[in-house]
Amino acid sequence: MQSLFGENKRETPEAIKAEIQGEIPKWLHGTLIRNGPGMHKIGESIYNHWFDGLALLHSFTFQNGEVFYRSKYLQSDTYKKNIEANRIVVSEFGTMAYPDPCKNIFSKAFSYLTHVIPDFTDNCLINIIKYGENYYASSEVNYIRRIDPRTLETLEKVDQADYVPLNLATAHPHYDEHGNTYNIGTSIVEKGRTKYLIVKVPTVKPDDKNACFKNCEIFCSIPCRSLLSPSYYHSFGMSENYIILLEQPFKLDILKMATAYFKGANWSSCLGWHPKEKTYIHIIDRRTKAALPTKFYTDALVVYHHVNAYEENNHLIFDIIAYEDNSLYEMFYLANMKLVDNEFEMKGKNVTLPHCKRFVIPLDVDEVNVQLSHFCNRL
Protein backbone atom coordinates (compact mmCIF):
# COMPACT_ATOMS: atom_id res chain seq x y z
CA MET A 1 0.00 0.00 0.00
CA GLN A 2 2.89 2.38 0.74
CA SER A 3 4.17 2.14 -2.83
CA LEU A 4 0.74 3.01 -4.22
CA PHE A 5 -0.06 6.00 -2.01
CA GLY A 6 3.32 7.30 -0.82
CA GLU A 7 4.25 9.47 -3.82
CA ASN A 8 2.68 12.14 -6.02
CA LYS A 9 1.76 10.96 -9.51
CA ARG A 10 3.55 12.46 -12.52
CA GLU A 11 1.70 14.05 -15.42
CA THR A 12 1.91 12.72 -18.97
CA PRO A 13 0.79 15.88 -20.82
CA GLU A 14 1.61 14.55 -24.30
CA ALA A 15 -0.23 11.46 -25.49
CA ILE A 16 1.85 8.27 -25.47
CA LYS A 17 1.07 4.96 -27.12
CA ALA A 18 0.14 2.30 -24.59
CA GLU A 19 1.50 -1.22 -24.62
CA ILE A 20 -1.35 -3.66 -25.23
CA GLN A 21 -1.63 -7.22 -24.05
CA GLY A 22 -4.13 -9.05 -26.22
CA GLU A 23 -6.10 -7.22 -28.86
CA ILE A 24 -8.31 -4.10 -28.98
CA PRO A 25 -11.13 -4.30 -31.59
CA LYS A 26 -10.41 -1.93 -34.50
CA TRP A 27 -14.03 -0.75 -34.49
CA LEU A 28 -13.63 0.71 -30.99
CA HIS A 29 -13.13 4.47 -31.34
CA GLY A 30 -13.42 7.20 -28.74
CA THR A 31 -11.89 8.60 -25.56
CA LEU A 32 -12.43 7.49 -21.97
CA ILE A 33 -11.74 10.25 -19.42
CA ARG A 34 -11.23 9.45 -15.76
CA ASN A 35 -10.56 11.62 -12.74
CA GLY A 36 -9.10 11.10 -9.28
CA PRO A 37 -6.59 12.28 -6.68
CA GLY A 38 -2.97 12.41 -7.83
CA MET A 39 -1.03 14.71 -5.48
CA HIS A 40 -1.17 14.38 -1.69
CA LYS A 41 2.02 16.18 -0.68
CA ILE A 42 2.72 19.85 -1.36
CA GLY A 43 6.00 21.10 0.05
CA GLU A 44 6.15 19.61 3.54
CA SER A 45 2.37 19.53 4.02
CA ILE A 46 0.39 16.34 3.43
CA TYR A 47 -3.34 15.78 3.00
CA ASN A 48 -5.02 13.61 5.61
CA HIS A 49 -7.40 11.75 3.33
CA TRP A 50 -7.06 10.08 -0.08
CA PHE A 51 -10.17 11.92 -1.34
CA ASP A 52 -8.45 15.27 -0.63
CA GLY A 53 -5.63 14.93 -3.17
CA LEU A 54 -5.32 17.34 -6.08
CA ALA A 55 -7.26 16.19 -9.15
CA LEU A 56 -5.39 14.38 -11.91
CA LEU A 57 -7.21 13.90 -15.22
CA HIS A 58 -6.55 10.79 -17.36
CA SER A 59 -7.59 10.08 -20.96
CA PHE A 60 -7.46 6.83 -22.93
CA THR A 61 -8.03 7.32 -26.66
CA PHE A 62 -8.97 4.22 -28.68
CA GLN A 63 -8.21 4.32 -32.39
CA ASN A 64 -7.64 1.54 -34.97
CA GLY A 65 -6.78 -1.05 -32.35
CA GLU A 66 -4.38 1.24 -30.50
CA VAL A 67 -4.65 3.14 -27.20
CA PHE A 68 -3.07 6.50 -26.41
CA TYR A 69 -2.76 7.79 -22.84
CA ARG A 70 -2.23 11.24 -21.38
CA SER A 71 -2.74 12.86 -17.98
CA LYS A 72 -2.77 16.40 -16.61
CA TYR A 73 -3.42 17.97 -13.26
CA LEU A 74 -6.60 20.01 -13.14
CA GLN A 75 -5.45 23.65 -13.05
CA SER A 76 -7.99 24.66 -10.44
CA ASP A 77 -7.73 27.75 -8.28
CA THR A 78 -6.98 25.35 -5.42
CA TYR A 79 -4.11 23.76 -7.34
CA LYS A 80 -2.59 27.14 -8.26
CA LYS A 81 -2.84 28.56 -4.73
CA ASN A 82 -1.28 25.46 -3.16
CA ILE A 83 1.56 25.23 -5.68
CA GLU A 84 2.33 28.94 -5.40
CA ALA A 85 2.45 28.74 -1.59
CA ASN A 86 4.27 25.37 -1.66
CA ARG A 87 1.91 24.18 1.07
CA ILE A 88 -1.75 23.25 1.51
CA VAL A 89 -3.62 26.55 1.83
CA VAL A 90 -7.11 25.51 0.66
CA SER A 91 -9.17 23.25 2.92
CA GLU A 92 -10.48 19.92 1.66
CA PHE A 93 -13.10 17.67 3.24
CA GLY A 94 -10.64 15.66 5.33
CA THR A 95 -7.90 18.29 5.70
CA MET A 96 -8.37 21.75 7.18
CA ALA A 97 -5.84 24.36 6.02
CA TYR A 98 -4.81 27.08 8.44
CA PRO A 99 -3.16 30.45 7.81
CA ASP A 100 0.59 30.83 7.71
CA PRO A 101 1.76 31.48 11.28
CA CYS A 102 3.86 34.34 9.91
CA LYS A 103 0.75 36.25 8.78
CA ASN A 104 -0.54 39.16 10.83
CA ILE A 105 -3.53 38.93 13.14
CA PHE A 106 -5.90 40.61 10.65
CA SER A 107 -5.15 38.04 7.94
CA LYS A 108 -5.72 35.25 10.46
CA ALA A 109 -9.01 36.76 11.64
CA PHE A 110 -10.26 37.07 8.06
CA SER A 111 -9.34 33.45 7.37
CA TYR A 112 -11.36 32.28 10.39
CA LEU A 113 -14.39 34.35 9.41
CA THR A 114 -14.46 33.00 5.84
CA HIS A 115 -14.73 29.46 7.21
CA VAL A 116 -17.96 30.10 9.15
CA ILE A 117 -19.82 29.79 5.85
CA PRO A 118 -17.07 28.10 3.82
CA ASP A 119 -16.36 28.78 0.19
CA PHE A 120 -15.58 25.25 -0.92
CA THR A 121 -12.62 24.09 -2.94
CA ASP A 122 -12.77 23.78 -6.75
CA ASN A 123 -10.50 20.73 -6.64
CA CYS A 124 -12.95 18.69 -8.73
CA LEU A 125 -11.53 15.18 -8.40
CA ILE A 126 -14.41 12.69 -8.54
CA ASN A 127 -15.97 12.45 -11.98
CA ILE A 128 -16.43 13.94 -15.45
CA ILE A 129 -19.92 15.27 -16.22
CA LYS A 130 -21.42 16.25 -19.57
CA TYR A 131 -23.63 19.32 -19.45
CA GLY A 132 -24.97 20.35 -22.83
CA GLU A 133 -22.11 19.81 -25.27
CA ASN A 134 -19.35 20.47 -22.74
CA TYR A 135 -17.45 18.36 -20.22
CA TYR A 136 -16.75 19.28 -16.61
CA ALA A 137 -14.61 17.90 -13.80
CA SER A 138 -16.79 17.64 -10.71
CA SER A 139 -16.80 16.77 -7.04
CA GLU A 140 -19.63 17.15 -4.49
CA VAL A 141 -19.74 20.92 -4.08
CA ASN A 142 -21.15 23.80 -6.10
CA TYR A 143 -18.02 24.33 -8.24
CA ILE A 144 -17.24 22.48 -11.46
CA ARG A 145 -14.44 23.07 -13.99
CA ARG A 146 -14.87 22.83 -17.74
CA ILE A 147 -12.17 20.84 -19.52
CA ASP A 148 -11.14 20.16 -23.10
CA PRO A 149 -11.77 16.41 -23.55
CA ARG A 150 -9.11 16.13 -26.25
CA THR A 151 -6.18 17.90 -24.57
CA LEU A 152 -7.33 17.80 -20.90
CA GLU A 153 -6.70 21.53 -20.66
CA THR A 154 -8.53 23.24 -17.78
CA LEU A 155 -10.99 25.93 -18.85
CA GLU A 156 -13.37 28.16 -16.87
CA LYS A 157 -14.78 27.56 -13.42
CA VAL A 158 -18.57 27.41 -13.11
CA ASP A 159 -20.41 28.08 -9.85
CA GLN A 160 -23.64 26.11 -10.07
CA ALA A 161 -25.02 28.28 -7.26
CA ASP A 162 -25.20 31.15 -9.76
CA TYR A 163 -28.04 29.27 -11.46
CA VAL A 164 -29.56 27.06 -8.74
CA PRO A 165 -29.48 27.75 -4.96
CA LEU A 166 -27.46 24.67 -3.97
CA ASN A 167 -24.39 24.21 -1.78
CA LEU A 168 -23.68 20.53 -2.47
CA ALA A 169 -24.33 18.29 -5.48
CA THR A 170 -23.59 14.72 -6.51
CA ALA A 171 -20.81 13.91 -8.94
CA HIS A 172 -22.89 11.13 -10.51
CA PRO A 173 -25.73 12.58 -12.58
CA HIS A 174 -27.98 10.71 -15.01
CA TYR A 175 -28.83 11.39 -18.66
CA ASP A 176 -32.08 10.81 -20.52
CA GLU A 177 -32.57 9.74 -24.13
CA HIS A 178 -32.59 13.39 -25.27
CA GLY A 179 -29.23 14.23 -23.71
CA ASN A 180 -30.66 16.18 -20.76
CA THR A 181 -28.74 15.84 -17.49
CA TYR A 182 -30.39 15.22 -14.11
CA ASN A 183 -28.62 15.81 -10.82
CA ILE A 184 -29.49 16.28 -7.13
CA GLY A 185 -28.08 18.91 -4.78
CA THR A 186 -28.66 20.17 -1.25
CA SER A 187 -29.75 23.73 -0.56
CA ILE A 188 -28.79 24.56 3.03
CA VAL A 189 -31.02 26.95 5.01
CA GLU A 190 -32.04 28.84 1.87
CA LYS A 191 -34.95 31.11 2.87
CA GLY A 192 -35.09 29.28 6.19
CA ARG A 193 -35.39 25.81 4.66
CA THR A 194 -32.99 23.00 3.90
CA LYS A 195 -34.07 20.90 0.93
CA TYR A 196 -32.95 18.50 -1.74
CA LEU A 197 -33.23 19.87 -5.28
CA ILE A 198 -33.62 17.67 -8.34
CA VAL A 199 -32.20 19.71 -11.20
CA LYS A 200 -32.64 19.16 -14.94
CA VAL A 201 -29.97 20.70 -17.20
CA PRO A 202 -31.09 20.73 -20.86
CA THR A 203 -28.89 19.80 -23.78
CA VAL A 204 -28.01 22.78 -25.98
CA LYS A 205 -26.14 23.63 -29.14
CA PRO A 206 -22.38 24.11 -28.65
CA ASP A 207 -22.41 27.79 -29.72
CA ASP A 208 -23.49 28.96 -26.24
CA LYS A 209 -21.42 27.18 -23.62
CA ASN A 210 -23.45 28.43 -20.64
CA ALA A 211 -26.95 28.20 -22.15
CA CYS A 212 -27.56 24.83 -20.51
CA PHE A 213 -27.10 26.38 -17.05
CA LYS A 214 -29.12 29.48 -17.88
CA ASN A 215 -32.02 27.21 -18.85
CA CYS A 216 -31.70 24.66 -16.06
CA GLU A 217 -34.84 23.75 -14.16
CA ILE A 218 -35.51 22.84 -10.54
CA PHE A 219 -37.38 19.69 -11.41
CA CYS A 220 -38.57 18.93 -7.89
CA SER A 221 -37.85 20.06 -4.33
CA ILE A 222 -37.97 17.75 -1.29
CA PRO A 223 -37.78 19.19 2.25
CA CYS A 224 -35.01 17.77 4.39
CA ARG A 225 -36.26 15.99 7.50
CA SER A 226 -33.90 18.11 9.62
CA LEU A 227 -33.15 21.79 8.99
CA LEU A 228 -29.52 21.62 10.16
CA SER A 229 -28.70 17.95 9.44
CA PRO A 230 -29.20 17.10 5.77
CA SER A 231 -28.44 13.59 4.61
CA TYR A 232 -25.19 12.86 2.80
CA TYR A 233 -25.62 11.13 -0.57
CA HIS A 234 -23.03 10.38 -3.23
CA SER A 235 -25.37 9.26 -6.01
CA PHE A 236 -29.01 8.52 -6.81
CA GLY A 237 -31.02 6.21 -9.03
CA MET A 238 -33.07 6.88 -12.16
CA SER A 239 -35.36 4.67 -14.24
CA GLU A 240 -37.44 5.49 -17.29
CA ASN A 241 -40.08 7.34 -15.27
CA TYR A 242 -38.72 7.76 -11.73
CA ILE A 243 -35.86 9.24 -9.71
CA ILE A 244 -34.80 7.57 -6.45
CA LEU A 245 -33.22 9.54 -3.60
CA LEU A 246 -32.16 7.81 -0.38
CA GLU A 247 -32.28 10.10 2.65
CA GLN A 248 -30.01 8.01 4.82
CA PRO A 249 -29.11 8.61 8.48
CA PHE A 250 -25.55 9.49 7.51
CA LYS A 251 -25.86 13.24 8.05
CA LEU A 252 -23.95 16.48 7.78
CA ASP A 253 -24.10 18.58 10.96
CA ILE A 254 -24.30 22.18 9.70
CA LEU A 255 -23.72 23.82 13.10
CA LYS A 256 -20.67 21.65 13.70
CA MET A 257 -19.45 22.48 10.21
CA ALA A 258 -19.71 26.22 10.90
CA THR A 259 -17.45 25.90 13.96
CA ALA A 260 -15.10 23.15 12.75
CA TYR A 261 -12.36 25.57 11.66
CA PHE A 262 -12.23 27.26 15.08
CA LYS A 263 -12.08 23.90 16.87
CA GLY A 264 -9.32 22.46 14.70
CA ALA A 265 -11.59 19.82 13.18
CA ASN A 266 -11.99 18.90 9.52
CA TRP A 267 -15.30 18.95 7.66
CA SER A 268 -15.47 15.16 7.40
CA SER A 269 -15.76 15.03 11.20
CA CYS A 270 -19.08 16.85 10.76
CA LEU A 271 -20.59 13.74 9.17
CA GLY A 272 -22.49 11.71 11.74
CA TRP A 273 -23.90 8.17 11.59
CA HIS A 274 -27.26 7.63 13.34
CA PRO A 275 -27.90 3.86 13.25
CA LYS A 276 -31.15 4.01 15.19
CA GLU A 277 -32.85 6.15 12.55
CA LYS A 278 -34.52 5.01 9.33
CA THR A 279 -33.49 5.43 5.72
CA TYR A 280 -36.22 7.25 3.81
CA ILE A 281 -36.74 6.48 0.13
CA HIS A 282 -38.06 9.36 -1.95
CA ILE A 283 -39.55 8.42 -5.34
CA ILE A 284 -40.01 11.30 -7.79
CA ASP A 285 -42.21 10.84 -10.86
CA ARG A 286 -40.41 12.39 -13.84
CA ARG A 287 -43.72 12.87 -15.66
CA THR A 288 -45.49 14.84 -12.91
CA LYS A 289 -42.28 16.34 -11.42
CA ALA A 290 -43.54 15.48 -7.94
CA ALA A 291 -42.66 12.97 -5.23
CA LEU A 292 -45.02 10.04 -4.75
CA PRO A 293 -47.34 10.62 -1.77
CA THR A 294 -46.46 7.26 -0.19
CA LYS A 295 -43.44 7.48 2.13
CA PHE A 296 -41.20 4.43 1.91
CA TYR A 297 -38.54 3.67 4.50
CA THR A 298 -36.17 0.92 5.57
CA ASP A 299 -33.48 0.26 8.17
CA ALA A 300 -30.40 2.44 8.57
CA LEU A 301 -27.98 2.15 5.63
CA VAL A 302 -24.91 3.89 4.29
CA VAL A 303 -25.02 4.00 0.49
CA TYR A 304 -22.47 5.53 -1.85
CA HIS A 305 -23.41 4.03 -5.20
CA HIS A 306 -26.59 2.95 -6.95
CA VAL A 307 -26.22 0.01 -9.33
CA ASN A 308 -29.36 -0.06 -11.45
CA ALA A 309 -33.02 0.98 -11.58
CA TYR A 310 -35.85 -0.18 -13.81
CA GLU A 311 -39.62 -0.72 -13.89
CA GLU A 312 -41.43 -4.04 -14.26
CA ASN A 313 -45.05 -5.11 -13.71
CA ASN A 314 -46.01 -1.86 -11.99
CA HIS A 315 -43.04 -2.08 -9.63
CA LEU A 316 -39.92 0.06 -9.36
CA ILE A 317 -36.83 -2.09 -8.83
CA PHE A 318 -33.47 -0.68 -7.81
CA ASP A 319 -30.16 -2.10 -6.61
CA ILE A 320 -27.63 -0.41 -4.34
CA ILE A 321 -24.29 -1.16 -2.67
CA ALA A 322 -24.93 -0.72 1.06
CA TYR A 323 -22.88 -0.73 4.25
CA GLU A 324 -23.95 -1.16 7.85
CA ASP A 325 -22.03 1.92 9.02
CA ASN A 326 -19.65 4.63 7.80
CA SER A 327 -16.38 2.85 8.62
CA LEU A 328 -15.40 2.55 4.93
CA TYR A 329 -14.71 6.30 4.71
CA GLU A 330 -12.33 6.06 7.68
CA MET A 331 -10.20 3.46 5.86
CA PHE A 332 -9.24 6.02 3.21
CA TYR A 333 -7.28 8.23 5.59
CA LEU A 334 -3.70 8.12 4.34
CA ALA A 335 -2.46 7.03 7.76
CA ASN A 336 -4.37 3.79 7.13
CA MET A 337 -3.63 3.45 3.43
CA LYS A 338 0.13 3.71 3.99
CA LEU A 339 0.17 0.83 6.44
CA VAL A 340 2.16 -2.24 5.44
CA ASP A 341 -0.02 -4.92 3.86
CA ASN A 342 -0.59 -7.12 6.90
CA GLU A 343 -1.39 -4.13 9.13
CA PHE A 344 -3.80 -2.78 6.52
CA GLU A 345 -5.53 -6.15 6.33
CA MET A 346 -5.91 -6.24 10.11
CA LYS A 347 -7.32 -2.72 10.10
CA GLY A 348 -9.70 -3.66 7.30
CA LYS A 349 -11.29 -6.38 9.42
CA ASN A 350 -13.03 -3.62 11.38
CA VAL A 351 -14.68 -2.25 8.24
CA THR A 352 -18.15 -3.49 7.38
CA LEU A 353 -18.39 -5.40 4.12
CA PRO A 354 -20.50 -4.12 1.21
CA HIS A 355 -23.79 -5.80 0.35
CA CYS A 356 -25.71 -5.59 -2.90
CA LYS A 357 -29.31 -4.94 -1.90
CA ARG A 358 -32.40 -4.93 -4.11
CA PHE A 359 -35.62 -3.09 -3.33
CA VAL A 360 -38.87 -3.82 -5.16
CA ILE A 361 -41.34 -0.97 -4.67
CA PRO A 362 -45.01 -1.30 -5.64
CA LEU A 363 -46.20 1.74 -7.53
CA ASP A 364 -49.91 1.29 -6.84
CA VAL A 365 -50.05 1.36 -3.02
CA ASP A 366 -52.56 3.55 -1.23
CA GLU A 367 -50.84 3.49 2.16
CA VAL A 368 -49.17 6.63 3.54
CA ASN A 369 -46.13 4.87 5.10
CA VAL A 370 -44.59 1.61 3.91
CA GLN A 371 -41.60 -0.13 5.51
CA LEU A 372 -39.51 -2.08 3.04
CA SER A 373 -37.31 -5.14 3.39
CA HIS A 374 -34.75 -6.07 0.76
CA PHE A 375 -33.02 -8.85 -1.09
CA CYS A 376 -29.36 -8.99 -0.12
CA ASN A 377 -26.16 -10.53 -1.45
CA ARG A 378 -22.78 -10.02 0.15
CA LEU A 379 -20.03 -8.92 -2.25
Side-chain angles (χ1 to χ4, degrees):
M1 298 296 287
Q2 287 179 318
S3 61
L4 288 175
F5 303 105
E7 298 180 358
N8 293 336
K9 303 301 182 286
R10 290 186 297 177
E11 293 180 303
T12 307
E14 300 299 326
I16 60 172
K17 186 177 177 180
E19 295 183 9
I20 298 174
Q21 295 182 355
E23 185 175 331
I24 302 292
K26 292 186 180 297
W27 53 260
L28 182 60
H29 283 252
T31 300
L32 171 67
I33 304 176
R34 304 308 299 150
N35 194 1
M39 184 183 299
H40 289 93
K41 183 177 181 181
I42 304 165
E44 296 302 314
S45 58
I46 301 174
Y47 286 115
N48 295 329
H49 202 277
W50 189 63
F51 296 154
D52 293 341
L54 294 177
L56 181 61
L57 304 172
H58 309 262
S59 72
F60 303 84
T61 300
F62 298 83
Q63 185 176 8
N64 296 322
E66 297 178 329
V67 182
F68 297 87
Y69 169 80
R70 78 166 77 215
S71 63
K72 289 183 181 179
Y73 278 101
L74 184 73
Q75 298 295 304
S76 61
D77 293 347
T78 296
Y79 177 93
K80 293 176 182 177
K81 289 176 181 178
N82 287 343
I83 296 300
E84 181 180 2
N86 196 34
R87 60 188 288 267
I88 297 169
V89 296
V90 180
S91 297
E92 299 291 339
F93 203 59
T95 306
M96 196 66 82
Y98 288 91
D100 189 329
C102 298
K103 285 188 175 182
N104 62 47
I105 190 171
F106 298 105
S107 296
K108 291 181 181 180
F110 178 76
S111 181
Y112 276 88
L113 288 172
T114 57
H115 279 77
V116 175
I117 303 176
D119 185 21
F120 291 115
T121 174
D122 68 335
N123 177 36
C124 305
L125 77 163
I126 297 179
N127 199 11
I128 304 298
I129 294 177
K130 184 180 181 184
Y131 282 130
E133 295 298 320
N134 295 310
Y135 295 84
Y136 298 84
S138 68
S139 58
E140 294 183 323
V141 299
N142 50 305
Y143 291 121
I144 55 178
R145 295 294 306 227
R146 189 164 75 92
I147 64 166
D148 185 322
R150 293 165 296 181
T151 65
L152 299 184
E153 292 298 318
T154 303
L155 304 173
E156 73 272 8
K157 178 168 73 172
V158 174
D159 185 354
Q160 298 176 88
D162 289 341
Y163 306 95
V164 181
L166 55 78
N167 306 92
L168 305 168
T170 86
H172 295 291
H174 287 274
Y175 309 92
D176 66 17
E177 65 274 18
H178 304 295
N180 301 307
T181 307
Y182 295 79
N183 206 354
I184 298 182
T186 301
S187 178
I188 300 174
V189 198
E190 197 264 336
K191 296 182 180 179
R193 298 176 63 197
T194 298
K195 51 198 171 185
Y196 310 113
L197 304 179
I198 292 86
V199 180
K200 177 182 177 181
V201 182
T203 184
V204 295
K205 295 180 180 179
D207 54 350
D208 188 347
K209 64 182 179 227
N210 285 325
C212 60
F213 298 111
K214 295 173 184 175
N215 294 291
C216 68
E217 169 192 0
I218 297 179
F219 196 76
C220 181
S221 174
I222 298 175
C224 175
R225 296 183 64 83
S226 174
L227 177 67
L228 297 176
S229 299
S231 175
Y232 169 80
Y233 49 93
H234 183 72
S235 64
F236 63 101
M238 190 169 88
S239 68
E240 181 180 358
N241 295 301
Y242 298 95
I243 290 171
I244 304 116
L245 169 63
L246 300 183
E247 189 174 11
Q248 58 193 5
F250 187 28
K251 300 179 180 181
L252 185 62
D253 187 325
I254 302 303
L255 290 180
K256 190 175 180 180
M257 193 171 187
T259 59
Y261 192 76
F262 304 95
K263 296 179 178 179
N266 58 35
W267 287 324
S268 67
S269 69
C270 304
L271 280 171
W273 167 236
H274 305 272
K276 294 182 180 180
E277 298 185 14
K278 298 295 184 182
T279 298
Y280 291 89
I281 303 170
H282 301 284
I283 308 298
I284 298 92
D285 192 322
R286 292 171 54 194
R287 297 159 298 186
T288 63
K289 303 181 182 180
L292 297 186
T294 302
K295 305 302 179 186
F296 300 96
Y297 62 94
T298 189
D299 295 334
L301 300 170
V302 173
V303 176
Y304 298 102
H305 294 104
H306 286 244
V307 178
N308 194 16
Y310 63 97
E311 298 154 41
E312 186 176 83
N313 298 327
N314 209 24
H315 286 75
L316 174 62
I317 303 165
F318 68 92
D319 302 324
I320 56 173
I321 303 298
Y323 298 82
E324 295 176 356
D325 58 34
N326 63 324
S327 56
L328 177 71
Y329 182 86
E330 302 299 317
M331 279 301 295
F332 283 90
Y333 276 98
L334 289 184
N336 293 325
M337 300 191 75
K338 290 182 179 180
L339 293 172
V340 295
D341 290 349
N342 62 328
E343 292 179 355
F344 182 80
E345 289 176 8
M346 289 296 296
K347 189 87 173 180
K349 291 181 179 179
N350 297 321
V351 177
T352 59
L353 294 174
H355 295 76
C356 184
K357 298 191 175 185
R358 166 165 291 184
F359 290 87
V360 180
I361 296 183
L363 295 172
D364 56 356
V365 285
D366 296 325
E367 300 175 57
V368 176
N369 296 289
V370 177
Q371 180 165 3
L372 298 172
S373 57
H374 50 78
F375 302 100
C376 175
N377 282 314
R378 177 169 291 183
L379 298 183

